[in-house]
Amino acid sequence: MRRLENRKIELKVTGMTCAACSSRIEKVIRKMAGVVEVNVNLALEKAIITYNPKEISPTDFIHKIKDLGYNVILNHLELRVGGMTCAACSSRVEKKLNKTDGITKAVVNLATEKAVIEYNDGVIGPQEIEKIIVDLGYKPEALEKDGIVDHEKEERRKESRKQLYLFVFAAIMNIPIMLLMYSMPGHMMSYKSKLLQFILATPVQIIAGWQFYRGAYKSLKSGSANMDVLVALGTTAAYLYSVATTFFIHGDVYYDAATMILALIILGKMLEAIAKGRTSEAIKKLMGLQAKTARVLRDNEEIDVPVEEVVVGDLVLVRPGEKIPVDGQVEEGFSAVDESMLTGESIPVEKKPGDQVIGATINKNGLLRFKATKVGKDSALFQIVKLVEDAQGSKAPIQRLADQVAGVFVPVVIGISILTFFGWYLLTGDFTKALMTMTAVLVIACPCSLGLATPTAIMVGTGKGAENGILIKGGEHLEKAHAINAIILDKTGTITKGQPEVTDIITLGETTEEELLKLAATAEKGSEHPLGLAIVKKAEGIPLDNPDSFEAIPGHGIKVVYQGKEVLVGTAKLMQENEINIEEIIKKKEELESAGKTSMLVTVNKSLLGIIAVADTVKESSFAAIEELKGMGIEVVMITGDNQRTAEAIAKEVGVSRVLAEVLPEGKSEEVEKLKKEGKIVAMVGDGINDAPALAAADLGIAIGTGTDVAMEAADITLMSGDLLGVATAIRLSKKTMRTIKQNLIWAFIYNVIGIPVAASGYLVPVFAAAAMAFSSVSVVTNSLLLKRVSLKK
């Protein structure tokens, strides 16, 4: 039996109030059989779980999270199911859906021909659900043609509105309590005044405080303690003492403290929810780029269809000014396409037949007809969104300390509050003072700020990167980029344009230039190497034959048999290995290479016929980018398979002093390892395809180009544009994000380290403690949001 591979799911978890909550879920899920890895992100309200599907299912995780007292947001889909003729049909569809991974509940009604399905979009999507029904022999049709509802956004909106209502209710009820409280000193307060405050405060304690009581109960039931426990303990202590002094014993009342604490903390929760919603705006912006409809050619007729209905192979027409709906390859037409929303590159890119177009980009001035090659989840836009979502849900190593502290924070605070109470009571004999000081300790402690410090900054940082064409695979890579002190740059396609052209054709003996070019182009006809393609392109208009056999020799050249003769095109090393004398042309070869040109020697049956020189021009931005990197204190190294002389000519042009030349593709990763052994933290920058091993070997792999699948897979960071300046921008983004994270963590730690002792010392009344606690979380998220306004330019 074939072994099932591990799977990864994402669950949207609501109800977490602080880092203790996310830490608790993480610990419990990690202990479940079949779980390989789990990461619960408080800021993103998301649990990312890698598991073995043979041992456990996503439904088990959902049930476990709900048992812990939290909720999992699920998507709902309503379908009309055609073709059902009896109860056996509806039962069959229902059973199949309910057994499907990712579907938590499915109800199929025969009479209405409707299926109502509850599912997790981190595991399965509407298209897969519809396919299951189609495979069973029935015809599903979506009842909602307006598009998919953003359930996460809707849930956040409901939560914000609920907290607003509770805050207004608590604040309104608190006004008369405050007026009664301060209209006369506590010891002169009448029974009627106390009774009226009790009547006003009790609904606030029950209604506004219910969410904290419920959260505290579920947290304690699961064997942990979170922020809800602190709030519930603090407000209940003040409220119950006031009830006692109202009806049973002599003393002051503190209803105002209990109600004001609840009002302020609820206000903080509301502001925090709003701010947290803004941290993930980058994804919403990216999703908003997608076209809603597409004009396709079917049965020789142009029709407009929803973009979700475009299939691979469809011929799509895009007029000037319209969005390109899906990825594809141009078949007819010429135009310029604005790809700035995905690549960050402001200059429109010329498109002609054979070129690739990306969905969500804008066609500027010509009519294009292209064949759809990638749609839905396979499209570049969806892959980018998925990459950003994964990065935002990941944890940076710097967060580990905060997680460890959050795991024991609440029990420690409760212990401190108890010691505070007994300490004050034993020293002063004043029960009221001891109680109020204990309450202040409980409500000023803020585990939320610790839990939000890193993930909110990572979310904003990765989102800011995506808006600038910088795709970061995870928080750990964003963190690592700021520490880079050495960068290896691949020459071809990174420093240079990667589109070499033939510059010189030098012949020997009676061979003409056209004969030499035709022979070399015929030999290179089957090559995919950029230098070979340049020769073939130069020979356009010359009829070329097919060689009898073709052999590529990586790093050296090619060997072909043509009309029974052995033809070699390649480096001096290739000639030496085949015992061919090149002395008569060596001087000319050196001159060409000194000018930064790559020379390829051409032989027939070991007889040297001449040289074809090819030059790959440097990108306009390469010199400025390398100077910027050097200005950051980073050592820049160029690596290439070209010979030393050519490599040094290019390096000199762009200001690189250290060159690694004549390195074969498999040797690039070895050069990365050598640099790491020198004690350097190394980034490798390449095109993400032939440089994949080196990208993987480096501390940080950066793919530069158009964000191909291979580049995204091999690299830690992908630059969607071909501009080398993006490397410096990515490092600058990392530095600014890390600075924000450190600010957040320092603030969170200092706030708690100073706030708790100040409260324990009796210098802080509970109401001010609650205000400080609410401010702490909001300030951390707000500081992270300031990253959006930071300029990434030098």
Side-chain angles (χ1 to χ4, degrees):
M1 184 181 285
R2 187 174 66 87
R3 182 177 173 273
L4 288 173
E5 292 183 358
N6 292 335
R7 293 181 187 170
K8 182 187 284 187
I9 65 159
E10 295 177 3
L11 300 174
K12 294 165 187 149
V13 182
T14 59
M16 296 188 292
T17 56
C18 66
C21 300
S22 55
S23 178
R24 178 63 182 163
I25 296 171
E26 220 170 70
K27 286 177 183 176
V28 171
I29 297 292
R30 190 174 283 118
K31 290 177 182 176
M32 296 176 75
V35 173
V36 178
E37 188 180 349
V38 59
N39 171 23
V40 181
N41 188 305
L42 172 64
L44 205 57
E45 295 184 318
K46 183 185 288 186
I48 302 170
I49 307 166
T50 305
Y51 68 101
N52 183 343
K54 199 172 181 181
E55 297 183 54
I56 199 165
S57 74
T59 309
D60 296 323
F61 301 132
I62 293 169
H63 290 324
K64 179 60 72 175
I65 290 169
K66 287 184 174 180
D67 287 344
L68 290 172
Y70 307 98
N71 192 30
V72 177
I73 301 175
L74 297 168
N75 295 67
H76 295 266
L77 178 67
E78 289 190 13
L79 297 172
R80 180 172 285 111
V81 183
M84 295 189 298
T85 57
C86 64
C89 297
S90 57
S91 176
R92 184 174 171 228
V93 175
E94 193 173 286
K95 283 180 181 177
K96 179 65 176 176
L97 290 173
N98 279 314
K99 287 180 181 178
T100 301
D101 232 12
I103 295 176
T104 54
K105 186 180 179 183
V107 177
V108 182
N109 188 306
L110 175 65
T112 60
E113 292 188 322
K114 185 192 284 187
V116 180
I117 301 149
E118 187 180 70
Y119 69 98
N120 174 27
D121 63 358
V123 181
I124 194 169
Q127 289 180 328
E128 292 96 327
I129 293 171
E130 289 184 24
K131 187 176 184 304
I132 290 167
I133 296 171
V134 169
D135 291 344
L136 289 172
Y138 305 101
K139 296 177 182 178
E141 181 186 347
L143 294 177
E144 289 183 312
K145 284 289 183 183
D146 302 340
I148 299 168
V149 177
D150 188 341
H151 293 280
E152 190 176 357
K153 183 180 178 182
E154 185 66 20
E155 199 72 24
R156 203 184 292 278
R157 187 183 63 80
K158 285 180 183 176
E159 177 64 19
S160 298
R161 186 182 293 173
K162 183 183 94 172
Q163 298 301 339
L164 174 62
Y165 291 156
L166 288 173
F167 167 70
V168 171
F169 167 70
I172 289 172
M173 296 294 277
N174 195 63
I175 292 170
I177 294 174
M178 296 290 283
L179 291 172
L180 287 166
M181 187 72 191
Y182 295 107
S183 62
M184 62 183 72
H187 64 277
M188 294 176 59
M189 194 172 290
S190 66
Y191 170 72
K192 285 184 179 179
S193 177
K194 289 181 178 181
L195 182 62
L196 185 54
Q197 287 186 59
F198 166 76
I199 292 169
L200 291 167
T202 300
V204 176
Q205 197 67 33
I206 295 171
I207 296 170
W210 177 248
Q211 61 181 321
F212 301 107
Y213 286 121
R214 183 182 58 196
Y217 168 73
K218 289 180 177 179
S219 177
L220 292 170
K221 183 185 173 186
S222 68
S224 67
N226 62 2
M227 187 199 79
D228 291 330
V229 174
L230 298 179
V231 176
L233 283 174
T235 58
T236 303
Y239 173 77
L240 289 180
Y241 177 72
S242 300
V243 171
T245 56
T246 301
F247 297 106
F248 307 111
I249 61 174
H250 177 73
D252 297 337
V253 292
Y254 294 95
Y255 292 116
D256 62 318
T259 53
M260 184 59 81
I261 288 169
L262 287 171
L264 288 170
I265 291 173
I266 289 168
L267 175 63
K269 281 172 70 75
M270 183 187 75
L271 295 174
E272 185 185 314
I274 293 168
K276 277 160 65 177
R278 290 177 58 207
T279 58
S280 57
E281 280 177 358
I283 289 180
K284 293 179 178 65
K285 281 183 183 178
L286 286 170
M287 290 302 292
L289 294 174
Q290 188 177 32
K292 300 294 182 286
T293 60
R295 186 175 295 107
V296 299
L297 195 65
R298 291 179 182 169
D299 299 324
N300 293 320
E301 185 181 348
E302 290 182 25
I303 58 170
D304 289 337
V305 299
V307 72
E308 295 83 11
E309 294 182 13
V310 178
V311 296
V312 173
D314 267 341
L315 287 176
V316 184
L317 287 86
V318 187
R319 296 192 174 98
E322 293 181 339
K323 279 187 180 179
I324 293 169
V326 296
D327 299 359
Q329 184 174 33
V330 178
E331 295 214 331
E332 288 182 23
F334 296 87
S335 185
V337 175
D338 180 0
E339 297 181 344
S340 60
M341 63 285 295
L342 294 181
T343 65
E345 187 63 57
S346 58
I347 302 171
V349 181
E350 297 291 332
K351 299 293 179 181
K352 61 184 183 302
D355 288 344
Q356 301 294 319
V357 289
I358 305 171
T361 56
I362 299 172
N363 182 29
K364 298 294 284 184
N365 50 27
L367 179 67
L368 289 176
R369 187 171 88 163
F370 68 90
K371 182 179 284 187
T373 55
K374 290 182 179 179
V375 299
K377 289 187 176 182
D378 295 325
S379 68
L381 178 64
F382 187 91
Q383 293 298 322
I384 290 166
V385 170
K386 188 76 179 71
L387 198 68
V388 176
E389 281 184 334
D390 288 346
Q392 292 189 338
S394 66
K395 280 189 179 179
I398 197 172
Q399 192 176 340
R400 288 174 191 151
L401 177 61
D403 287 347
Q404 288 170 356
V405 172
V408 296
F409 186 87
V410 175
V412 168
V413 170
I414 293 171
I416 293 171
S417 69
I418 293 169
L419 289 173
T420 299
F421 174 81
F422 284 110
W424 274 97
Y425 186 64
L426 291 171
L427 285 170
T428 65
D430 188 340
F431 181 85
T432 302
K433 178 66 176 176
L435 183 70
M436 287 300 101
T437 308
M438 181 190 78
T439 302
V441 171
L442 287 169
V443 297
I444 198 171
C446 188
C448 307
S449 56
L450 283 171
L452 294 170
T454 302
T456 52
I458 293 291
M459 287 169 68
V460 177
T462 50
K464 176 91 174 173
E467 290 172 8
N468 287 272
I470 301 166
L471 304 180
I472 302 160
K473 196 175 274 187
E476 67 272 24
H477 309 306
L478 183 60
E479 179 178 338
K480 190 168 283 181
H482 89 286
I484 293 299
N485 54 24
I487 285 185
I488 299 178
L489 303 176
D490 180 53
K491 179 180 78 72
T492 307
T494 301
I495 293 176
T496 64
K497 292 178 180 177
Q499 297 173 335
E501 297 176 351
V502 172
T503 56
D504 301 85
I505 300 174
I506 299 162
T507 62
L508 296 175
E510 297 179 0
T511 307
T512 66
E513 286 189 8
E514 184 173 331
E515 287 172 344
L516 184 65
L517 179 62
K518 181 177 180 179
L519 181 66
T522 299
E524 294 281 8
K525 196 175 178 183
S527 173
E528 294 182 357
H529 194 281
L531 300 180
L533 294 174
I535 293 173
V536 174
K537 186 177 181 181
K538 181 70 175 178
E540 281 179 359
I542 299 175
L544 301 177
D545 300 322
N546 291 317
D548 302 324
S549 66
F550 175 93
E551 180 189 352
I553 305 167
H556 296 305
I558 60 168
K559 180 190 290 187
V560 303
V561 175
Y562 172 56
Q563 295 181 348
K565 299 173 184 177
E566 183 183 81
V567 179
L568 297 178
V569 181
T571 64
K573 279 189 177 180
L574 180 65
M575 303 304 148
Q576 289 165 4
E577 287 174 3
N578 286 272
E579 299 177 348
I580 297 169
N581 186 1
I582 59 170
E583 285 296 323
E584 60 181 309
I585 207 165
I586 198 78
K587 188 176 179 182
K588 189 64 184 176
K589 175 180 173 294
E590 288 174 356
E591 287 175 10
L592 292 168
E593 289 170 356
S594 296
K597 299 173 182 178
T598 300
S599 57
M600 288 179 285
L601 305 168
V602 184
T603 68
V604 174
N605 286 342
K606 299 195 174 184
S607 174
L608 186 62
L609 299 186
I611 299 178
I612 296 179
V614 174
D616 182 10
T617 54
V618 171
K619 292 178 183 177
E620 291 79 3
S621 62
S622 290
F623 179 81
I626 289 166
E627 285 299 301
E628 197 171 331
L629 290 170
K630 284 158 57 175
M632 291 177 171
I634 298 170
E635 181 183 358
V636 181
V637 181
M638 189 181 84
I639 194 167
T640 179
D642 276 352
N643 63 73
Q644 191 73 33
R645 188 173 275 107
T646 302
E648 285 179 353
I650 296 291
K652 186 178 180 181
E653 189 177 344
V654 295
V656 175
S657 56
R658 186 171 176 180
V659 180
L660 302 172
E662 300 178 41
V663 181
L664 298 177
E666 60 269 24
K668 289 182 179 180
S669 58
E670 293 174 11
E671 294 296 337
V672 169
E673 293 294 346
K674 286 179 185 176
L675 206 57
K676 285 167 73 175
K677 285 177 182 176
E678 293 178 20
K680 301 286 188 181
I681 301 172
V682 182
M684 170 69 195
V685 185
D687 64 13
I689 300 172
N690 61 345
D691 297 315
L695 287 168
D699 293 302
L700 186 75
I702 303 176
I704 191 166
T706 54
T708 60
D709 292 342
V710 178
M712 287 186 184
E713 190 63 36
D716 304 315
I717 296 176
T718 299
L719 306 178
M720 294 298 288
S721 74
D723 196 336
L724 195 57
L725 284 166
V727 178
T729 305
I731 293 171
R732 198 175 296 109
L733 172 64
S734 171
K735 288 179 183 289
K736 291 180 186 295
T737 304
M738 286 305 298
R739 185 179 64 191
T740 299
I741 289 172
K742 287 172 183 175
Q743 288 170 349
N744 287 348
L745 286 172
I746 289 168
W747 161 249
F749 278 114
I750 288 178
Y751 165 83
N752 285 294
V753 167
I754 294 176
I756 294 172
V758 168
S761 300
Y763 292 108
L764 205 60
V765 297
V767 170
F768 290 143
M773 185 269 201
F775 170 74
S776 178
S777 297
V778 175
S779 63
V780 163
V781 180
T782 303
N783 189 47
S784 293
L785 287 170
L786 292 176
L787 261 175
K788 287 185 174 186
R789 300 182 181 180
V790 168
S791 173
L792 295 182
K793 293 180 181 178
K794 185 179 177 183

